[in-house]
PDB file of all heavy atoms in Angstrom:
ATOM      1  N   SER A   1    -142.271 -25.033  56.846  1.00 97.00           N
ATOM      2  CA  SER A   1    -143.439 -24.182  56.594  1.00 97.00           C
ATOM      3  C   SER A   1    -143.322 -23.446  55.268  1.00 97.00           C
ATOM      4  O   SER A   1    -144.304 -23.310  54.536  1.00 97.00           O
ATOM      5  CB  SER A   1    -143.606 -23.166  57.730  1.00 97.00           C
ATOM      6  OG  SER A   1    -143.854 -23.816  58.938  1.00 97.00           O
ATOM      7  N   ILE A   2    -142.121 -22.973  54.952  1.00 96.00           N
ATOM      8  CA  ILE A   2    -141.901 -22.280  53.684  1.00 96.00           C
ATOM      9  C   ILE A   2    -142.129 -23.242  52.514  1.00 96.00           C
ATOM     10  O   ILE A   2    -142.831 -22.920  51.555  1.00 96.00           O
ATOM     11  CB  ILE A   2    -140.489 -21.667  53.632  1.00 96.00           C
ATOM     12  CG1 ILE A   2    -140.383 -20.508  54.627  1.00 96.00           C
ATOM     13  CG2 ILE A   2    -140.156 -21.192  52.218  1.00 96.00           C
ATOM     14  CD1 ILE A   2    -138.983 -19.976  54.820  1.00 96.00           C
ATOM     15  N   VAL A   3    -141.570 -24.445  52.613  1.00 96.00           N
ATOM     16  CA  VAL A   3    -141.722 -25.433  51.532  1.00 96.00           C
ATOM     17  C   VAL A   3    -143.183 -25.851  51.388  1.00 96.00           C
ATOM     18  O   VAL A   3    -143.698 -25.969  50.268  1.00 96.00           O
ATOM     19  CB  VAL A   3    -140.812 -26.652  51.788  1.00 96.00           C
ATOM     20  CG1 VAL A   3    -141.116 -27.761  50.796  1.00 96.00           C
ATOM     21  CG2 VAL A   3    -139.353 -26.245  51.699  1.00 96.00           C
ATOM     22  N   ASP A   4    -143.882 -26.055  52.510  1.00 97.00           N
ATOM     23  CA  ASP A   4    -145.297 -26.437  52.457  1.00 97.00           C
ATOM     24  C   ASP A   4    -146.132 -25.356  51.775  1.00 97.00           C
ATOM     25  O   ASP A   4    -146.991 -25.659  50.943  1.00 97.00           O
ATOM     26  CB  ASP A   4    -145.837 -26.708  53.855  1.00 97.00           C
ATOM     27  CG  ASP A   4    -145.314 -27.997  54.459  1.00 97.00           C
ATOM     28  OD1 ASP A   4    -144.749 -28.828  53.709  1.00 97.00           O
ATOM     29  OD2 ASP A   4    -145.457 -28.176  55.694  1.00 97.00           O
ATOM     30  N   ALA A   5    -145.889 -24.101  52.129  1.00 96.00           N
ATOM     31  CA  ALA A   5    -146.652 -23.001  51.523  1.00 96.00           C
ATOM     32  C   ALA A   5    -146.373 -22.919  50.021  1.00 96.00           C
ATOM     33  O   ALA A   5    -147.294 -22.734  49.225  1.00 96.00           O
ATOM     34  CB  ALA A   5    -146.295 -21.685  52.201  1.00 96.00           C
ATOM     35  N   LEU A   6    -145.118 -23.076  49.631  1.00 96.00           N
ATOM     36  CA  LEU A   6    -144.784 -23.027  48.205  1.00 96.00           C
ATOM     37  C   LEU A   6    -145.410 -24.188  47.448  1.00 96.00           C
ATOM     38  O   LEU A   6    -145.866 -24.029  46.318  1.00 96.00           O
ATOM     39  CB  LEU A   6    -143.269 -23.020  48.013  1.00 96.00           C
ATOM     40  CG  LEU A   6    -142.557 -21.732  48.435  1.00 96.00           C
ATOM     41  CD1 LEU A   6    -141.052 -21.931  48.401  1.00 96.00           C
ATOM     42  CD2 LEU A   6    -142.973 -20.574  47.562  1.00 96.00           C
ATOM     43  N   SER A   7    -145.460 -25.363  48.072  1.00 95.00           N
ATOM     44  CA  SER A   7    -146.052 -26.522  47.394  1.00 95.00           C
ATOM     45  C   SER A   7    -147.560 -26.353  47.207  1.00 95.00           C
ATOM     46  O   SER A   7    -148.134 -26.953  46.307  1.00 95.00           O
ATOM     47  CB  SER A   7    -145.743 -27.811  48.160  1.00 95.00           C
ATOM     48  OG  SER A   7    -146.418 -27.820  49.395  1.00 95.00           O
ATOM     49  N   ARG A   8    -148.183 -25.533  48.048  1.00 94.00           N
ATOM     50  CA  ARG A   8    -149.608 -25.228  47.884  1.00 94.00           C
ATOM     51  C   ARG A   8    -149.824 -24.087  46.898  1.00 94.00           C
ATOM     52  O   ARG A   8    -150.954 -23.669  46.648  1.00 94.00           O
ATOM     53  CB  ARG A   8    -150.228 -24.852  49.232  1.00 94.00           C
ATOM     54  CG  ARG A   8    -150.342 -25.994  50.207  1.00 94.00           C
ATOM     55  CD  ARG A   8    -151.189 -25.607  51.424  1.00 94.00           C
ATOM     56  NE  ARG A   8    -150.694 -24.436  52.122  1.00 94.00           N
ATOM     57  CZ  ARG A   8    -149.827 -24.449  53.130  1.00 94.00           C
ATOM     58  NH1 ARG A   8    -149.346 -25.593  53.561  1.00 94.00           N
ATOM     59  NH2 ARG A   8    -149.441 -23.331  53.710  1.00 94.00           N
ATOM     60  N   GLY A   9    -148.743 -23.518  46.358  1.00 92.00           N
ATOM     61  CA  GLY A   9    -148.851 -22.440  45.388  1.00 92.00           C
ATOM     62  C   GLY A   9    -148.923 -21.064  46.014  1.00 92.00           C
ATOM     63  O   GLY A   9    -149.206 -20.083  45.326  1.00 92.00           O
ATOM     64  N   GLU A  10    -148.667 -20.976  47.313  1.00 95.00           N
ATOM     65  CA  GLU A  10    -148.726 -19.685  47.992  1.00 95.00           C
ATOM     66  C   GLU A  10    -147.409 -18.942  47.872  1.00 95.00           C
ATOM     67  O   GLU A  10    -146.360 -19.532  47.683  1.00 95.00           O
ATOM     68  CB  GLU A  10    -149.040 -19.893  49.482  1.00 95.00           C
ATOM     69  CG  GLU A  10    -150.374 -20.535  49.742  1.00 95.00           C
ATOM     70  CD  GLU A  10    -150.586 -20.855  51.208  1.00 95.00           C
ATOM     71  OE1 GLU A  10    -149.781 -20.408  52.044  1.00 95.00           O
ATOM     72  OE2 GLU A  10    -151.547 -21.567  51.517  1.00 95.00           O
ATOM     73  N   LYS A  11    -147.483 -17.636  48.008  1.00 96.00           N
ATOM     74  CA  LYS A  11    -146.299 -16.786  48.013  1.00 96.00           C
ATOM     75  C   LYS A  11    -145.866 -16.612  49.467  1.00 96.00           C
ATOM     76  O   LYS A  11    -146.704 -16.438  50.359  1.00 96.00           O
ATOM     77  CB  LYS A  11    -146.639 -15.432  47.390  1.00 96.00           C
ATOM     78  CG  LYS A  11    -145.536 -14.426  47.398  1.00 96.00           C
ATOM     79  CD  LYS A  11    -145.892 -13.181  46.601  1.00 96.00           C
ATOM     80  CE  LYS A  11    -146.909 -12.350  47.330  1.00 96.00           C
ATOM     81  NZ  LYS A  11    -147.069 -11.007  46.743  1.00 96.00           N
ATOM     82  N   VAL A  12    -144.560 -16.688  49.739  1.00 96.00           N
ATOM     83  CA  VAL A  12    -144.033 -16.508  51.092  1.00 96.00           C
ATOM     84  C   VAL A  12    -143.273 -15.190  51.122  1.00 96.00           C
ATOM     85  O   VAL A  12    -142.269 -15.030  50.434  1.00 96.00           O
ATOM     86  CB  VAL A  12    -143.110 -17.673  51.493  1.00 96.00           C
ATOM     87  CG1 VAL A  12    -142.524 -17.443  52.869  1.00 96.00           C
ATOM     88  CG2 VAL A  12    -143.849 -18.995  51.431  1.00 96.00           C
ATOM     89  N   GLU A  13    -143.790 -14.250  51.910  1.00 95.00           N
ATOM     90  CA  GLU A  13    -143.172 -12.926  51.995  1.00 95.00           C
ATOM     91  C   GLU A  13    -142.619 -12.726  53.397  1.00 95.00           C
ATOM     92  O   GLU A  13    -143.355 -12.744  54.382  1.00 95.00           O
ATOM     93  CB  GLU A  13    -144.209 -11.852  51.685  1.00 95.00           C
ATOM     94  CG  GLU A  13    -143.646 -10.464  51.683  1.00 95.00           C
ATOM     95  CD  GLU A  13    -144.674  -9.425  51.263  1.00 95.00           C
ATOM     96  OE1 GLU A  13    -145.665  -9.790  50.618  1.00 95.00           O
ATOM     97  OE2 GLU A  13    -144.466  -8.255  51.608  1.00 95.00           O
ATOM     98  N   LEU A  14    -141.315 -12.541  53.486  1.00 94.00           N
ATOM     99  CA  LEU A  14    -140.642 -12.270  54.752  1.00 94.00           C
ATOM    100  C   LEU A  14    -140.158 -10.820  54.684  1.00 94.00           C
ATOM    101  O   LEU A  14    -139.216 -10.515  53.949  1.00 94.00           O
ATOM    102  CB  LEU A  14    -139.477 -13.234  54.966  1.00 94.00           C
ATOM    103  CG  LEU A  14    -139.854 -14.725  54.897  1.00 94.00           C
ATOM    104  CD1 LEU A  14    -138.607 -15.585  54.883  1.00 94.00           C
ATOM    105  CD2 LEU A  14    -140.759 -15.089  56.044  1.00 94.00           C
ATOM    106  N   ARG A  15    -140.790  -9.952  55.438  1.00 91.00           N
ATOM    107  CA  ARG A  15    -140.485  -8.520  55.380  1.00 91.00           C
ATOM    108  C   ARG A  15    -138.996  -8.262  55.570  1.00 91.00           C
ATOM    109  O   ARG A  15    -138.349  -8.858  56.423  1.00 91.00           O
ATOM    110  CB  ARG A  15    -141.258  -7.764  56.459  1.00 91.00           C
ATOM    111  CG  ARG A  15    -142.739  -7.864  56.307  1.00 91.00           C
ATOM    112  CD  ARG A  15    -143.246  -6.782  55.404  1.00 91.00           C
ATOM    113  NE  ARG A  15    -144.704  -6.927  55.323  1.00 91.00           N
ATOM    114  CZ  ARG A  15    -145.388  -6.586  54.278  1.00 91.00           C
ATOM    115  NH1 ARG A  15    -144.790  -6.088  53.240  1.00 91.00           N
ATOM    116  NH2 ARG A  15    -146.679  -6.729  54.262  1.00 91.00           N
ATOM    117  N   ASN A  16    -138.464  -7.370  54.786  1.00 88.00           N
ATOM    118  CA  ASN A  16    -137.058  -6.954  54.787  1.00 88.00           C
ATOM    119  C   ASN A  16    -136.094  -8.062  54.396  1.00 88.00           C
ATOM    120  O   ASN A  16    -134.887  -7.857  54.390  1.00 88.00           O
ATOM    121  CB  ASN A  16    -136.640  -6.370  56.145  1.00 88.00           C
ATOM    122  CG  ASN A  16    -137.409  -5.123  56.482  1.00 88.00           C
ATOM    123  OD1 ASN A  16    -137.720  -4.332  55.606  1.00 88.00           O
ATOM    124  ND2 ASN A  16    -137.740  -4.954  57.739  1.00 88.00           N
ATOM    125  N   PHE A  17    -136.595  -9.264  54.113  1.00 93.00           N
ATOM    126  CA  PHE A  17    -135.729 -10.357  53.673  1.00 93.00           C
ATOM    127  C   PHE A  17    -135.961 -10.639  52.202  1.00 93.00           C
ATOM    128  O   PHE A  17    -135.050 -10.543  51.395  1.00 93.00           O
ATOM    129  CB  PHE A  17    -135.972 -11.614  54.509  1.00 93.00           C
ATOM    130  CG  PHE A  17    -135.063 -12.746  54.140  1.00 93.00           C
ATOM    131  CD1 PHE A  17    -133.725 -12.731  54.501  1.00 93.00           C
ATOM    132  CD2 PHE A  17    -135.544 -13.823  53.415  1.00 93.00           C
ATOM    133  CE1 PHE A  17    -132.883 -13.765  54.150  1.00 93.00           C
ATOM    134  CE2 PHE A  17    -134.709 -14.867  53.058  1.00 93.00           C
ATOM    135  CZ  PHE A  17    -133.375 -14.832  53.431  1.00 93.00           C
ATOM    136  N   GLY A  18    -137.211 -10.983  51.855  1.00 95.00           N
ATOM    137  CA  GLY A  18    -137.509 -11.237  50.463  1.00 95.00           C
ATOM    138  C   GLY A  18    -138.788 -12.022  50.271  1.00 95.00           C
ATOM    139  O   GLY A  18    -139.499 -12.334  51.222  1.00 95.00           O
ATOM    140  N   ILE A  19    -139.048 -12.364  49.017  1.00 96.00           N
ATOM    141  CA  ILE A  19    -140.270 -13.071  48.642  1.00 96.00           C
ATOM    142  C   ILE A  19    -139.898 -14.337  47.868  1.00 96.00           C
ATOM    143  O   ILE A  19    -139.120 -14.284  46.914  1.00 96.00           O
ATOM    144  CB  ILE A  19    -141.171 -12.185  47.761  1.00 96.00           C
ATOM    145  CG1 ILE A  19    -141.586 -10.927  48.521  1.00 96.00           C
ATOM    146  CG2 ILE A  19    -142.392 -12.952  47.281  1.00 96.00           C
ATOM    147  CD1 ILE A  19    -142.293  -9.909  47.650  1.00 96.00           C
ATOM    148  N   PHE A  20    -140.453 -15.464  48.302  1.00 97.00           N
ATOM    149  CA  PHE A  20    -140.332 -16.724  47.581  1.00 97.00           C
ATOM    150  C   PHE A  20    -141.660 -16.963  46.885  1.00 97.00           C
ATOM    151  O   PHE A  20    -142.720 -16.795  47.490  1.00 97.00           O
ATOM    152  CB  PHE A  20    -140.101 -17.903  48.540  1.00 97.00           C
ATOM    153  CG  PHE A  20    -138.808 -17.856  49.276  1.00 97.00           C
ATOM    154  CD1 PHE A  20    -138.724 -17.295  50.541  1.00 97.00           C
ATOM    155  CD2 PHE A  20    -137.666 -18.408  48.723  1.00 97.00           C
ATOM    156  CE1 PHE A  20    -137.535 -17.277  51.235  1.00 97.00           C
ATOM    157  CE2 PHE A  20    -136.464 -18.392  49.412  1.00 97.00           C
ATOM    158  CZ  PHE A  20    -136.398 -17.819  50.668  1.00 97.00           C
ATOM    159  N   LYS A  21    -141.619 -17.346  45.605  1.00 96.00           N
ATOM    160  CA  LYS A  21    -142.857 -17.701  44.918  1.00 96.00           C
ATOM    161  C   LYS A  21    -142.563 -18.714  43.823  1.00 96.00           C
ATOM    162  O   LYS A  21    -141.414 -18.915  43.430  1.00 96.00           O
ATOM    163  CB  LYS A  21    -143.579 -16.477  44.368  1.00 96.00           C
ATOM    164  CG  LYS A  21    -142.829 -15.686  43.337  1.00 96.00           C
ATOM    165  CD  LYS A  21    -143.663 -14.468  42.946  1.00 96.00           C
ATOM    166  CE  LYS A  21    -142.891 -13.604  41.977  1.00 96.00           C
ATOM    167  NZ  LYS A  21    -143.659 -12.442  41.558  1.00 96.00           N
ATOM    168  N   ILE A  22    -143.625 -19.357  43.349  1.00 96.00           N
ATOM    169  CA  ILE A  22    -143.529 -20.364  42.306  1.00 96.00           C
ATOM    170  C   ILE A  22    -143.792 -19.695  40.961  1.00 96.00           C
ATOM    171  O   ILE A  22    -144.727 -18.909  40.823  1.00 96.00           O
ATOM    172  CB  ILE A  22    -144.572 -21.490  42.533  1.00 96.00           C
ATOM    173  CG1 ILE A  22    -144.333 -22.179  43.872  1.00 96.00           C
ATOM    174  CG2 ILE A  22    -144.561 -22.485  41.392  1.00 96.00           C
ATOM    175  CD1 ILE A  22    -143.076 -22.982  43.929  1.00 96.00           C
ATOM    176  N   LYS A  23    -142.971 -20.025  39.991  1.00 96.00           N
ATOM    177  CA  LYS A  23    -143.150 -19.490  38.645  1.00 96.00           C
ATOM    178  C   LYS A  23    -143.207 -20.672  37.675  1.00 96.00           C
ATOM    179  O   LYS A  23    -142.451 -21.628  37.814  1.00 96.00           O
ATOM    180  CB  LYS A  23    -141.981 -18.577  38.304  1.00 96.00           C
ATOM    181  CG  LYS A  23    -142.217 -17.678  37.139  1.00 96.00           C
ATOM    182  CD  LYS A  23    -141.146 -16.614  37.059  1.00 96.00           C
ATOM    183  CE  LYS A  23    -141.590 -15.559  36.092  1.00 96.00           C
ATOM    184  NZ  LYS A  23    -140.684 -14.439  36.050  1.00 96.00           N
ATOM    185  N   SER A  24    -144.097 -20.599  36.726  1.00 95.00           N
ATOM    186  CA  SER A  24    -144.226 -21.653  35.721  1.00 95.00           C
ATOM    187  C   SER A  24    -143.341 -21.345  34.523  1.00 95.00           C
ATOM    188  O   SER A  24    -143.360 -20.224  34.002  1.00 95.00           O
ATOM    189  CB  SER A  24    -145.672 -21.784  35.252  1.00 95.00           C
ATOM    190  OG  SER A  24    -146.488 -22.184  36.319  1.00 95.00           O
ATOM    191  N   ARG A  25    -142.585 -22.322  34.113  1.00 95.00           N
ATOM    192  CA  ARG A  25    -141.759 -22.190  32.911  1.00 95.00           C
ATOM    193  C   ARG A  25    -142.478 -22.925  31.786  1.00 95.00           C
ATOM    194  O   ARG A  25    -142.940 -24.057  31.967  1.00 95.00           O
ATOM    195  CB  ARG A  25    -140.380 -22.824  33.113  1.00 95.00           C
ATOM    196  CG  ARG A  25    -139.590 -22.234  34.235  1.00 95.00           C
ATOM    197  CD  ARG A  25    -138.912 -20.968  33.792  1.00 95.00           C
ATOM    198  NE  ARG A  25    -137.996 -20.525  34.831  1.00 95.00           N
ATOM    199  CZ  ARG A  25    -137.798 -19.279  35.137  1.00 95.00           C
ATOM    200  NH1 ARG A  25    -138.428 -18.338  34.485  1.00 95.00           N
ATOM    201  NH2 ARG A  25    -136.963 -18.949  36.087  1.00 95.00           N
ATOM    202  N   ARG A  26    -142.565 -22.305  30.633  1.00 96.00           N
ATOM    203  CA  ARG A  26    -143.266 -22.943  29.517  1.00 96.00           C
ATOM    204  C   ARG A  26    -142.367 -23.956  28.815  1.00 96.00           C
ATOM    205  O   ARG A  26    -141.151 -23.978  29.022  1.00 96.00           O
ATOM    206  CB  ARG A  26    -143.775 -21.902  28.547  1.00 96.00           C
ATOM    207  CG  ARG A  26    -142.672 -21.073  27.958  1.00 96.00           C
ATOM    208  CD  ARG A  26    -143.238 -19.886  27.208  1.00 96.00           C
ATOM    209  NE  ARG A  26    -142.127 -18.998  26.972  1.00 96.00           N
ATOM    210  CZ  ARG A  26    -141.746 -18.585  25.782  1.00 96.00           C
ATOM    211  NH1 ARG A  26    -142.423 -18.936  24.721  1.00 96.00           N
ATOM    212  NH2 ARG A  26    -140.715 -17.811  25.639  1.00 96.00           N
ATOM    213  N   GLN A  27    -142.989 -24.747  27.986  1.00 96.00           N
ATOM    214  CA  GLN A  27    -142.244 -25.746  27.215  1.00 96.00           C
ATOM    215  C   GLN A  27    -141.337 -25.034  26.215  1.00 96.00           C
ATOM    216  O   GLN A  27    -141.681 -23.990  25.678  1.00 96.00           O
ATOM    217  CB  GLN A  27    -143.215 -26.655  26.465  1.00 96.00           C
ATOM    218  CG  GLN A  27    -142.524 -27.744  25.700  1.00 96.00           C
ATOM    219  CD  GLN A  27    -143.517 -28.704  25.079  1.00 96.00           C
ATOM    220  OE1 GLN A  27    -144.694 -28.680  25.405  1.00 96.00           O
ATOM    221  NE2 GLN A  27    -143.051 -29.539  24.184  1.00 96.00           N
ATOM    222  N   ARG A  28    -140.146 -25.606  26.000  1.00 95.00           N
ATOM    223  CA  ARG A  28    -139.222 -25.004  25.048  1.00 95.00           C
ATOM    224  C   ARG A  28    -138.345 -26.090  24.449  1.00 95.00           C
ATOM    225  O   ARG A  28    -138.354 -27.222  24.900  1.00 95.00           O
ATOM    226  CB  ARG A  28    -138.354 -23.945  25.718  1.00 95.00           C
ATOM    227  CG  ARG A  28    -137.460 -24.510  26.805  1.00 95.00           C
ATOM    228  CD  ARG A  28    -136.658 -23.418  27.503  1.00 95.00           C
ATOM    229  NE  ARG A  28    -135.851 -23.962  28.564  1.00 95.00           N
ATOM    230  CZ  ARG A  28    -134.652 -24.491  28.445  1.00 95.00           C
ATOM    231  NH1 ARG A  28    -134.079 -24.567  27.257  1.00 95.00           N
ATOM    232  NH2 ARG A  28    -133.983 -24.974  29.472  1.00 95.00           N
ATOM    233  N   MET A  29    -137.591 -25.703  23.466  1.00 95.00           N
ATOM    234  CA  MET A  29    -136.638 -26.635  22.871  1.00 95.00           C
ATOM    235  C   MET A  29    -135.262 -26.364  23.455  1.00 95.00           C
ATOM    236  O   MET A  29    -134.776 -25.234  23.442  1.00 95.00           O
ATOM    237  CB  MET A  29    -136.584 -26.469  21.343  1.00 95.00           C
ATOM    238  CG  MET A  29    -137.831 -26.959  20.634  1.00 95.00           C
ATOM    239  SD  MET A  29    -138.189 -28.692  20.955  1.00 95.00           S
ATOM    240  CE  MET A  29    -136.907 -29.480  20.029  1.00 95.00           C
ATOM    241  N   GLY A  30    -134.652 -27.411  24.008  1.00 95.00           N
ATOM    242  CA  GLY A  30    -133.308 -27.316  24.549  1.00 95.00           C
ATOM    243  C   GLY A  30    -132.334 -28.033  23.636  1.00 95.00           C
ATOM    244  O   GLY A  30    -132.690 -28.477  22.546  1.00 95.00           O
ATOM    245  N   ARG A  31    -131.104 -28.154  24.061  1.00 95.00           N
ATOM    246  CA  ARG A  31    -130.096 -28.816  23.243  1.00 95.00           C
ATOM    247  C   ARG A  31    -129.261 -29.723  24.137  1.00 95.00           C
ATOM    248  O   ARG A  31    -128.805 -29.330  25.200  1.00 95.00           O
ATOM    249  CB  ARG A  31    -129.208 -27.773  22.580  1.00 95.00           C
ATOM    250  CG  ARG A  31    -128.278 -28.371  21.548  1.00 95.00           C
ATOM    251  CD  ARG A  31    -127.763 -27.347  20.580  1.00 95.00           C
ATOM    252  NE  ARG A  31    -128.762 -26.570  19.882  1.00 95.00           N
ATOM    253  CZ  ARG A  31    -129.448 -26.990  18.820  1.00 95.00           C
ATOM    254  NH1 ARG A  31    -129.261 -28.190  18.322  1.00 95.00           N
ATOM    255  NH2 ARG A  31    -130.317 -26.207  18.227  1.00 95.00           N
ATOM    256  N   ASN A  32    -129.051 -30.962  23.694  1.00 93.00           N
ATOM    257  CA  ASN A  32    -128.195 -31.893  24.399  1.00 93.00           C
ATOM    258  C   ASN A  32    -126.744 -31.434  24.191  1.00 93.00           C
ATOM    259  O   ASN A  32    -126.269 -31.386  23.065  1.00 93.00           O
ATOM    260  CB  ASN A  32    -128.402 -33.315  23.849  1.00 93.00           C
ATOM    261  CG  ASN A  32    -127.590 -34.351  24.588  1.00 93.00           C
ATOM    262  OD1 ASN A  32    -126.554 -34.051  25.169  1.00 93.00           O
ATOM    263  ND2 ASN A  32    -128.065 -35.578  24.564  1.00 93.00           N
ATOM    264  N   PRO A  33    -126.011 -31.112  25.282  1.00 93.00           N
ATOM    265  CA  PRO A  33    -124.664 -30.581  25.096  1.00 93.00           C
ATOM    266  C   PRO A  33    -123.669 -31.591  24.517  1.00 93.00           C
ATOM    267  O   PRO A  33    -122.696 -31.213  23.877  1.00 93.00           O
ATOM    268  CB  PRO A  33    -124.246 -30.154  26.496  1.00 93.00           C
ATOM    269  CG  PRO A  33    -125.171 -30.811  27.420  1.00 93.00           C
ATOM    270  CD  PRO A  33    -126.417 -31.131  26.661  1.00 93.00           C
ATOM    271  N   ARG A  34    -123.908 -32.876  24.699  1.00 94.00           N
ATOM    272  CA  ARG A  34    -122.993 -33.892  24.158  1.00 94.00           C
ATOM    273  C   ARG A  34    -123.173 -34.101  22.664  1.00 94.00           C
ATOM    274  O   ARG A  34    -122.207 -34.172  21.914  1.00 94.00           O
ATOM    275  CB  ARG A  34    -123.194 -35.229  24.861  1.00 94.00           C
ATOM    276  CG  ARG A  34    -122.644 -35.261  26.246  1.00 94.00           C
ATOM    277  CD  ARG A  34    -122.677 -36.652  26.791  1.00 94.00           C
ATOM    278  NE  ARG A  34    -122.180 -36.645  28.163  1.00 94.00           N
ATOM    279  CZ  ARG A  34    -122.150 -37.690  28.930  1.00 94.00           C
ATOM    280  NH1 ARG A  34    -122.608 -38.850  28.486  1.00 94.00           N
ATOM    281  NH2 ARG A  34    -121.690 -37.608  30.151  1.00 94.00           N
ATOM    282  N   THR A  35    -124.438 -34.213  22.264  1.00 94.00           N
ATOM    283  CA  THR A  35    -124.696 -34.544  20.853  1.00 94.00           C
ATOM    284  C   THR A  35    -125.089 -33.333  20.022  1.00 94.00           C
ATOM    285  O   THR A  35    -125.008 -33.386  18.797  1.00 94.00           O
ATOM    286  CB  THR A  35    -125.820 -35.589  20.753  1.00 94.00           C
ATOM    287  OG1 THR A  35    -127.036 -35.018  21.260  1.00 94.00           O
ATOM    288  CG2 THR A  35    -125.474 -36.847  21.520  1.00 94.00           C
ATOM    289  N   GLY A  36    -125.541 -32.268  20.674  1.00 92.00           N
ATOM    290  CA  GLY A  36    -126.003 -31.104  19.936  1.00 92.00           C
ATOM    291  C   GLY A  36    -127.408 -31.268  19.401  1.00 92.00           C
ATOM    292  O   GLY A  36    -127.929 -30.389  18.731  1.00 92.00           O
TER     293      GLY A  36
END
């Protein structure tokens, strides 16, 4: 149920436990650790 709600973009709030939510990460430049 938690995974289904997150896949629909919903926030899952479990009182006194915590909140699971989806966050979008923007495009960025990374670095290949082997080649640099």
Side-chain angles (χ1 to χ4, degrees):
S1 297
I2 291 171
V3 171
D4 288 346
L6 290 171
S7 68
R8 291 190 304 269
E10 298 174 10
K11 177 172 73 168
V12 177
E13 183 175 339
L14 304 170
R15 298 272 181 210
N16 297 324
F17 183 74
I19 299 171
F20 295 94
K21 62 183 176 179
I22 299 292
K23 196 168 193 174
S24 296
R25 301 278 188 217
R26 60 191 166 123
Q27 183 175 348
R28 63 183 178 85
M29 289 302 288
R31 189 160 305 280
N32 183 334
R34 286 189 182 176
T35 64

